């Protein structure tokens, strides 16, 4: 499985070579990889459907319990097959849709990386590795949405998707860390099979909220749904892949994967059921009010994602079965419909459904695929989408305390979904012929293969529901439910309440379709008036707030004044280090005044007097002199405490410094007061605070010594190992030789720099 994931990244690296050689057949050639991966994962179907779970693991960071592990069970196998199978046709479709595009090679590189990232995400067993692939899908989707980078709209939409998903990724990271720390492992399999009761010690509310924060943003749950329709700025192959099998399904996948762990928690079930139901309704409502084919399909994806989330939250046996069946059906018909929408735009020159009509005779194969896929979207038998919808309606009837709400939302959403399915399938192809910007004709084979095959598979699975049940659905339901369930898929379960609700949904959808032109416009005007309360408006206001904050902090904190930067850095250090010292250690230390001699007190008093005088005098010569005295007092301390070599060095440095300062003293302007009294007091407070912190920190360090000082080792080893009696010199030359060598290099480079400047100055004077 590792090589299956890495193969996508490897082929992406080889795309320039392949594209240069294969030309217009690059898409067909690259599609061989996902086709081979489809066959590879399909070879595991007998084992997985028989109840086996396969695992592979490679050591990555063993010290942190992070391994590159992969697990193949029913859920990950279903996703892996969808990613590979649909990815095959998306790559072929892209070759026809973007034929002649100058950046087609770049598109293939990112698309293959996107596919590999998604495969790694659904196969990963380690939470940290899963998060890495999670973020890779965000980055690659950002590049795909902004593929037409010269378009301002594409860039803005790509950034919006990235911002929302990355913010959610931050919350997910916190949730993953909490899960790994309290669960005792970052392995999903180990966490799911853990017999230890770690839930009682874990902050479950925070943990669940963080995980749902990541999954809700990724899978466009209300109120984060707005970024997904805006992602339609991407080329249609991206939209088809994004909505059917990849990124937006990542959040749904993770919720389903962790459901056996949190499925009994009230917060988990209520939030998923409530937010999923609301997202389902909002997506269907917004799809009904739009006319752009890709926008309509995008909002219908929001509806489907909400439905899947709601089913996970309901958590009953029927809900788990409905989840797997609905997921499979949606992936098939949504991939086909997006490719149909792209073909219409590519051949007719417009995606506006109100400006299309009568193209069935000109695009018969596209029209047929659109009709089959739309019937599956609407939930009409014998398409597989009907089975998923029936199971969903059965599941909402047992939704617990939220039953009445979710049943109402499900029925109304089914009506609007049926209506938009009819709009997408009938408006462009039937009725009177409408003139379009381009003379439409049937799409080429590369653009027909995907929608025709996916629509045909949806029909085949509907006619033979036992096939997907045996091969895919049963094992996926077992993984999501956490236990085997006894069920069967069928087109006919007799006359029952779900069938009645389905008939109500289809009938209501037919009525809504009949009056779509009349009802859509007032609803669109209503939505325009409500835009100021929409979540997307909140997103833009948040961006404005961030810009205002950046402007403020740039004006106040990063204003180009070095003194201001120093104050911020110093006070930040004082606050953070001081708080940590007080909270973790406590400001407690012992002072022994018994061994202090009077001359030591005299030196300290002189140091304090010279420091105060140097900061208050208005005489430049007096300030230089007192600074020299300060340095000589430090040298005297070194000598008193048996460090004569350091004392001599300090005397030499201070003498040279004083001489240099006196030499340039008369070239400097006189003292002038540029600072206000407030600034002087502020700077004094900062200086005193930092000095006090360093003093307390050093005293606390001496008091909280946890190990024996290393100085005793140097004293014992200096002569036997280095044959030197001057311990300081031995430390510099032998024990810390590389450090000293680095300092010599720094001094040498500085000397070369000074020499170069002096030489350059001399040459200019000679010129």
């Amino acid at each position: 499985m590792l090589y299956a994931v890495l193969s996508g990244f490897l082929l992406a690296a080889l795309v320039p070579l392949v594209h240069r050689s294969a030309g217009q057949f690059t898409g067909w050639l690259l599609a061989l990889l996902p086709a081979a991966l489809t066959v590879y994962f399909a070879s595991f179907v007998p084992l997985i459907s028989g109840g086996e779970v396969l695992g592979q693991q490679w050591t990555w960071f063993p010290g942190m319990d992070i391994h590159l592990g992969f697990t193949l069970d029913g859920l990950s196998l279903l996703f892996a097959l969808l990613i590979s199978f649909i990815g095959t046709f998306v790559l072929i479709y892209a070759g026809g849709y973007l034929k002649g595009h100058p950046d087609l090679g770049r598109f293939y590189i990112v698309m293959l990386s996107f596919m590999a990232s998604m495969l790694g995400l659904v196969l990963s067993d380690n939470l940290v590795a899963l998060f890495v692939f999670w973020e890779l899908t965000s980055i690659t989707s950002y590049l795909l949405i902004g593929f037409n980078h010269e378009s301002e709209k594409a860039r803005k939409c790509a950034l919006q998707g990235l911002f929302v998903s990355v913010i959610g990724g931050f919350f997910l990271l916190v949730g993953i860390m909490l899960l790994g720390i309290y669960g005792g492992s970052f392995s999903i399999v180990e966490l799911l099979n853990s017999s230890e009761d770690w839930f009682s010690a874990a902050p479950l509310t925070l943990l669940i909220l963080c995980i749902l924060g990541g999954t809700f943003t990724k899978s466009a749950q209300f109120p984060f749904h707005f970024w997904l329709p805006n992602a339609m700025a991407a080329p249609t192959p991206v939209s088809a892949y994004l909505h059917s099998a990849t990124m937006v399904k990542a959040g749904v996948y993770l919720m389903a994967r962790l459901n056996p762990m949190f499925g009994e928690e009230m917060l988990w079930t209520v939030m998923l059921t409530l937010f999923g139901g609301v997202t389902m309704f909002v997506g269907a409502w917004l799809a009904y009010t739009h006319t752009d084919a890709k926008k309509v399909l995008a909002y219908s994806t929001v509806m489907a994602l909400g439905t899947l989330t709601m089913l996970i939250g309901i958590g009953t046996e029927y809900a788990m079965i409905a989840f797997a069946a609905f997921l499979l059906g949606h992936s098939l018909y949504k991939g086909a419909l997006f490719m149909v929408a792209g073909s219409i735009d590519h051949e007719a020159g417009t995606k506006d459904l109100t400006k299309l009509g009568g193209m069935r005779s000109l695009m018969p194969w596209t029209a047929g695929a659109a009709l089959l896929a739309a019937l599956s979207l609407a939930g009409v038998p014998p398409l597989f989408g009907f089975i998923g919808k029936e199971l969903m309606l059965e599941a909402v009837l047992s939704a617990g305390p939220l039953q009445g709400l979710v049943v109402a939302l499900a029925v109304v959403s089914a009506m609007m979904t049926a209506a938009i399915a009819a709009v997408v399938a009938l408006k462009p192809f039937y009725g009177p012929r409408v003139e379009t910007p381009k003379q439409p004709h049937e799409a080429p084979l590369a653009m027909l293969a995907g929608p025709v095959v996916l629509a045909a598979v949806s029909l085949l699975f509907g006619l033979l529901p036992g096939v997907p049940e045996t091969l895919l659905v049963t094992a996926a339901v077992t993984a999501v439910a956490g236990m085997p369930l006894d069920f069967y898929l069928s087109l006919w379960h007799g006359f029952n309440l779900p069938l009645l609700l389905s008939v109500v949904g289809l009938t209501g959808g037919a009525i809504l379709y009949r009056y779509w032109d009349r009802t859509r416009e007032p609803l669109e005007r209503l939505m325009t008036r409500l835009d100021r309360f929409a979540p997307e408006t909140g997103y833009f206001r948040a961006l404005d707030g961030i810009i205002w904050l950046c402007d403020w902090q740039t004006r106040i904190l990063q204003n180009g004044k070095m003194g201001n930067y120093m104050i911020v850095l110093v006070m930040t250090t004082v606050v953070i280090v001081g708080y940590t010292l007080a909270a973790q250690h406590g400001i407690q230390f012992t002072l022994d005044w018994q061994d202090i001699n009077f001359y030591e007190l005299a030196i300290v008093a002189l140091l304090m007097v010279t420091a105060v005088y140097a900061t208050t005098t208005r005489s430049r010569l007096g300030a230089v002199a007192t600074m020299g005295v300060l340095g000589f007092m430090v040298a005297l301390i070194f000598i008193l405490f048996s460090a004569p070599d350091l004392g001599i060095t300090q005397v030499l440095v201070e003498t040279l410094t004083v001489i240099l300062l006196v030499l340039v003293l008369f070239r400097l302007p006189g003292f002038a007061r540029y600072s206000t009294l407030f600034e002087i007091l502020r700077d004094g407070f900062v200086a005193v605070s930092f000095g006090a912190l360093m003093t307390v920190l050093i005293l606390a360090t001496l008091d909280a010594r946890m190990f024996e000082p290393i100085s005793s080792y140097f004293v014992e080893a200096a002569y036997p190992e280095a044959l030197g009696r001057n311990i300081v010199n031995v430390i510099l030359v032998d024990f810390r030789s590389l450090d000293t060598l680095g300092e010599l290099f720094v001094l040498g480079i500085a000397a070369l720099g000074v020499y170069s400047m002096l030489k350059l100055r001399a040459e200019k004077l000679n010129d």
Side-chain angles (χ1 to χ4, degrees), residues 24-313:
Q24 61 180 339
F25 299 105
T26 302
W28 292 90
L29 192 59
L30 296 178
L32 293 176
L33 174 64
L37 291 176
T38 303
V39 175
Y40 168 72
F41 288 115
S43 67
F44 293 106
V45 167
L47 285 175
I48 302 302
S49 60
E52 295 288 332
V53 176
L54 304 179
Q56 296 176 355
Q57 184 169 286
W58 285 264
T59 301
W60 193 10
F61 295 105
M64 300 177 65
D65 190 29
I66 300 175
H67 305 280
L68 200 58
F70 298 98
T71 298
L72 194 65
D73 61 359
L75 183 62
S76 56
L77 177 63
L78 175 59
F79 271 91
L81 284 172
L82 290 174
I83 294 165
S84 305
F85 182 66
I86 297 177
T88 302
F89 295 104
V90 167
L91 287 174
I92 295 173
Y93 183 90
Y97 186 85
L98 296 172
K99 183 179 179 180
H101 197 290
D103 293 325
L104 182 56
R106 173 166 61 89
F107 176 87
Y108 284 132
I109 292 173
V110 184
M111 180 62 81
L112 285 167
S113 301
F114 184 47
M115 179 188 71
S117 301
M118 191 65 196
L119 274 177
L121 190 155
V122 300
L123 294 173
S124 289
D125 173 57
N126 188 277
L127 286 169
V128 177
L130 183 147
F131 179 76
V132 171
F133 288 115
W134 181 283
E135 292 300 289
L136 283 175
T137 61
S138 296
I139 295 170
T140 49
S141 66
Y142 162 74
L143 296 175
L144 289 171
I145 296 170
F147 175 71
N148 298 316
H149 55 85
E150 295 181 356
S151 167
E152 182 181 359
K153 179 182 177 182
R155 296 196 301 270
K156 289 178 63 176
C157 293
L159 282 173
Q160 185 182 75
L162 182 67
F163 287 163
V164 173
S165 58
V166 166
I167 290 173
F170 169 77
F171 286 101
L172 178 64
L173 179 60
V174 175
I176 283 175
M177 291 298 104
L178 291 174
L179 191 58
I181 291 170
Y182 285 93
S185 173
F186 286 102
S187 169
I188 298 175
V189 172
E190 291 181 9
L191 288 170
L192 293 176
N193 296 330
S194 175
S195 58
E196 297 182 9
D197 183 21
W198 56 269
F199 267 49
S200 57
L204 277 185
T205 300
L206 177 62
L207 197 157
I208 290 174
L209 290 177
C210 286
I211 290 177
L212 293 185
T215 57
F216 279 11
T217 52
K218 197 78 160 185
S219 287
Q221 298 299 298
F222 181 87
F224 308 109
H225 63 282
F226 55 87
W227 74 265
L228 184 55
N230 290 336
M232 294 305 96
T236 298
V238 176
S239 304
Y241 204 32
L242 191 76
H243 287 251
S244 61
T246 51
M247 179 176 167
V248 294
K249 296 282 180 67
V252 169
Y253 165 79
L254 188 56
M255 286 186 282
R257 174 59 73 198
L258 299 179
N259 184 65
M261 188 184 307
F262 299 111
E264 300 297 325
E265 297 298 319
M266 180 65 70
L267 178 63
W268 177 270
T269 58
V270 170
M271 287 198 67
L272 264 63
T273 304
L274 183 59
F275 278 88
V278 172
T279 304
M280 173 180 63
F281 171 76
V282 169
W285 174 280
L286 293 174
Y288 185 77
T289 61
H290 281 76
T291 60
D292 184 285
K294 288 180 66 175
K295 278 288 184 74
V296 170
L297 294 175
Y299 280 116
S300 72
T301 299
V302 173
M303 177 277 300
L305 295 171
T307 304
L308 292 169
T309 301
M310 178 189 68
L311 291 172
I312 298 172

Side-chain angles (χ1 to χ4, degrees), residues 363-695:
M363 305 178 68
W365 285 96
T366 304
L371 182 61
L372 284 178
L375 288 173
S376 188
L377 168 63
V380 177
L383 278 300
F384 191 72
F386 169 75
I387 298 176
K389 186 183 72 171
E390 289 286 286
L391 290 169
M392 181 271 292
L393 293 172
E394 179 73 37
V396 297
L397 292 173
S398 56
L402 298 175
Q403 176 183 340
L405 175 63
V406 296
V407 168
L409 293 175
V411 173
V412 176
S413 299
M415 292 180 182
M416 290 186 288
T417 301
I420 61 177
V423 170
V424 171
L426 301 179
K427 282 286 184 181
F429 303 106
Y430 299 89
R433 176 80 176 88
V434 178
E435 291 299 322
T436 53
K438 294 168 61 177
Q439 178 62 30
H441 56 81
E442 188 57 271
L445 177 61
M447 297 175 64
L448 276 177
V452 169
V453 171
L454 294 176
V457 172
S458 186
L459 176 61
L460 177 65
F461 281 1
L463 294 172
L464 302 172
V467 175
E469 173 203 326
T470 304
L471 299 181
L472 297 171
V473 176
T474 301
V477 170
T478 301
V480 178
M483 66 182 73
L485 299 180
D486 185 19
F487 68 94
Y488 67 95
L489 299 182
S490 175
L491 276 173
W492 179 252
H493 290 276
F495 292 100
N496 51 24
L497 186 53
L499 179 62
L500 176 61
L501 294 177
S502 181
V503 172
V504 171
L506 291 174
T507 305
I511 296 172
L512 290 175
Y513 170 72
R514 173 67 177 80
Y515 296 101
W516 181 65
D517 289 320
R518 297 182 186 178
T519 57
R520 176 186 52 79
E521 292 182 1
L523 289 176
E524 193 173 0
R525 288 194 296 269
L526 174 63
M527 295 306 299
T528 302
R529 288 196 294 270
L530 294 176
D531 273 349
R532 58 191 178 125
F533 304 108
E536 188 172 11
T537 303
Y539 163 80
F540 287 117
R541 288 179 179 173
L543 286 186
D544 292 339
I546 293 173
I547 294 173
W548 176 86
L549 179 63
C550 293
D551 177 72
W552 173 84
Q553 72 91 21
T554 302
R555 186 175 63 255
I556 302 300
L557 301 179
Q558 294 181 320
N559 53 13
K561 296 181 179 179
M562 184 60 68
N564 190 71
Y565 293 167
M566 292 299 298
I567 291 173
V568 172
L569 290 174
V570 169
M571 290 308 298
T572 301
T573 304
V574 169
V575 172
I576 294 176
V577 176
Y579 171 78
T580 305
L581 177 63
Q584 300 295 328
H585 176 70
I587 304 177
Q588 51 184 349
F589 45 82
T590 55
L591 295 178
D592 185 6
W593 300 89
Q594 297 179 358
D595 296 332
I596 298 179
N597 298 310
F598 73 94
Y599 53 83
E600 295 172 346
L601 293 175
I603 293 174
V604 171
L606 189 57
L607 282 172
M608 296 175 63
V609 170
T610 52
V612 172
Y613 180 81
T615 56
T616 56
T617 182
R618 299 183 60 83
S619 168
R620 198 176 295 277
L621 183 59
V624 171
T626 51
M627 289 299 295
V629 173
L630 191 66
F632 290 134
M633 291 299 102
V634 173
L636 187 56
I637 291 176
F638 287 150
I639 294 172
L640 289 175
F641 286 90
S642 303
D645 46 357
L646 293 180
I648 294 172
T649 303
Q650 180 73 18
V651 169
L652 292 175
V653 170
E654 287 299 328
T655 303
L656 182 61
T657 301
V658 170
I659 293 173
L660 290 175
L661 287 175
V662 170
L663 289 176
V664 300
L665 181 66
F666 299 103
R667 293 181 176 271
L668 298 177
F671 271 127
R673 183 168 181 171
Y674 296 104
S675 302
T676 64
L677 178 61
F678 169 77
E679 291 172 334
I680 294 173
L681 294 176
R682 178 200 64 191
D683 296 345
F685 173 77
V686 171
V688 171
S689 299
F690 188 73
L693 172 68
M694 291 297 104
T695 302

